[in-house]
Amino acid sequence: MNEGLPTLDLHASVATLTLRRPAQRNSLTDDDLHTLMAHFDTVNHNPAIQVLVVRADTQGQAKPVFSAGYHVGGFDNDVMAPLFFEKIPQALEALRPITLCALNGSVYGGATDLVLACDLRVGLRGMSWRMPACALGLHYYPSGLRRYVSRLGLNASKRAFLLGQSLPFEDLQPLGLFEALVDAEHFDAEVTQCVNTLTAMAPLALQATKQSLNEVAAGMYCEPVLQERARQSVHSADFVEGRAAFAERRPAKFTGR
């Protein structure tokens, strides 16, 4: 794969977004960020897409790096660059489809927030996680701090930010960060299995439940809104099919209606 802007590949109900700067440890330039936003928009407006997989090209790297975060040269051009970067994980978190991060390498800086913005994560054993914001003199942006505390908890978030040290993925696994933490030999199969599980679910219920859970986690709980989503699911064709499949002990064939 040639180095360049992130690519988006569509196959049936699954989209795969790939970071493509392995020679630069997949650090993210301003052009990459704008391209990611465009890809998010494409995915969000394609009703056929149920799952988005986010991964990185790590070919040629001595040790796999999913992403080293924002390209530090961008700070020289615009010290407010971190505030623009915030829009990327915010948009990723808010996407309609379920998002799965295939974390096939170590991850640093702002890229850690891209990982946290995904709904689910499969991690590669032996890799590491580092958030050096305070070591750079940077107070991290608000939504990123919220995601850290929501996903990792307060104490682990303090460890990540205040110490700024490299954290092995194995130390993060007990916090529930990964759906699975596997070796390279089994990594792709684990990602595929997770994708297959997601695409077998009722898409309307899956996407509405994702939205509700994110709202609750962000402190935006609104019971009437959640009740309306529950009401809509009860009256959906997918719920009829789900009950029938359960009674007949067969796989459900959901239509997203």
Side-chain angles (χ1 to χ4, degrees), residues 51-54 98-102 118 120-122 191 194-195 198:
V51 178
L52 171 66
V53 178
V54 181
I98 307 304
T99 53
L100 170 65
C101 182
C118 290
L120 304 167
R121 289 153 289 275
V122 172
V191 171
C194 193
V195 168
L198 290 168

Side-chain angles (χ1 to χ4, degrees), residues 63-68 103-108 124 126-129 169:
K63 190 171 183 179
V65 176
F66 175 84
S67 177
L103 191 55
N104 55 338
S106 295
V107 61
Y108 309 109
L124 182 63
M127 301 297 108
S128 59
W129 178 293
F169 281 8

Side-chain angles (χ1 to χ4, degrees), residues 80-215:
M80 300 301 287
L83 301 185
F84 170 66
F85 187 95
E86 180 179 16
K87 296 180 180 180
I88 312 304
Q90 282 184 302
L92 178 57
E93 182 180 39
L95 282 181
R96 173 190 52 77
I98 307 304
T99 53
L100 170 65
C101 182
L103 191 55
N104 55 338
S106 295
V107 61
Y108 309 109
T112 63
D113 195 24
L114 290 178
V115 177
L116 295 177
C118 290
D119 299 310
L120 304 167
R121 289 153 289 275
V122 172
L124 182 63
R125 286 190 180 279
M127 301 297 108
S128 59
W129 178 293
R130 188 182 179 216
M131 169 45 72
C134 291
L136 295 173
L138 179 66
H139 180 290
Y140 212 55
Y141 51 79
S143 68
L145 294 176
R146 171 183 59 78
R147 271 182 291 273
Y148 256 85
V149 175
S150 173
R151 275 60 160 180
L152 298 182
L154 179 60
N155 290 335
S157 297
K158 285 184 176 180
R159 181 183 176 195
F161 277 94
L162 304 186
L163 294 177
Q165 297 174 350
S166 181
L167 305 174
F169 281 8
E170 286 75 9
D171 287 0
L172 300 176
Q173 174 65 349
L175 302 176
L177 183 63
F178 303 110
E179 309 319 304
L181 188 60
V182 296
D183 56 30
E185 181 182 358
H186 301 102
F187 186 83
D188 288 340
E190 189 67 39
V191 171
T192 298
Q193 180 178 332
C194 193
V195 168
N196 290 341
T197 298
L198 290 168
T199 54
M201 294 288 202
L204 292 182
L206 203 65
Q207 293 161 22
T209 300
K210 162 188 170 165
Q211 186 176 4
S212 295
L213 289 172
N214 281 346
E215 289 169 359

Side-chain angles (χ1 to χ4, degrees), residues 20-40:
R20 298 176 49 247
R21 298 193 189 276
Q24 301 177 45
R25 303 200 306 165
N26 289 307
S27 59
L28 300 166
T29 67
D30 289 341
D31 287 342
D32 292 328
L33 299 184
H34 287 293
T35 300
L36 287 174
M37 289 292 278
H39 288 333
F40 294 161

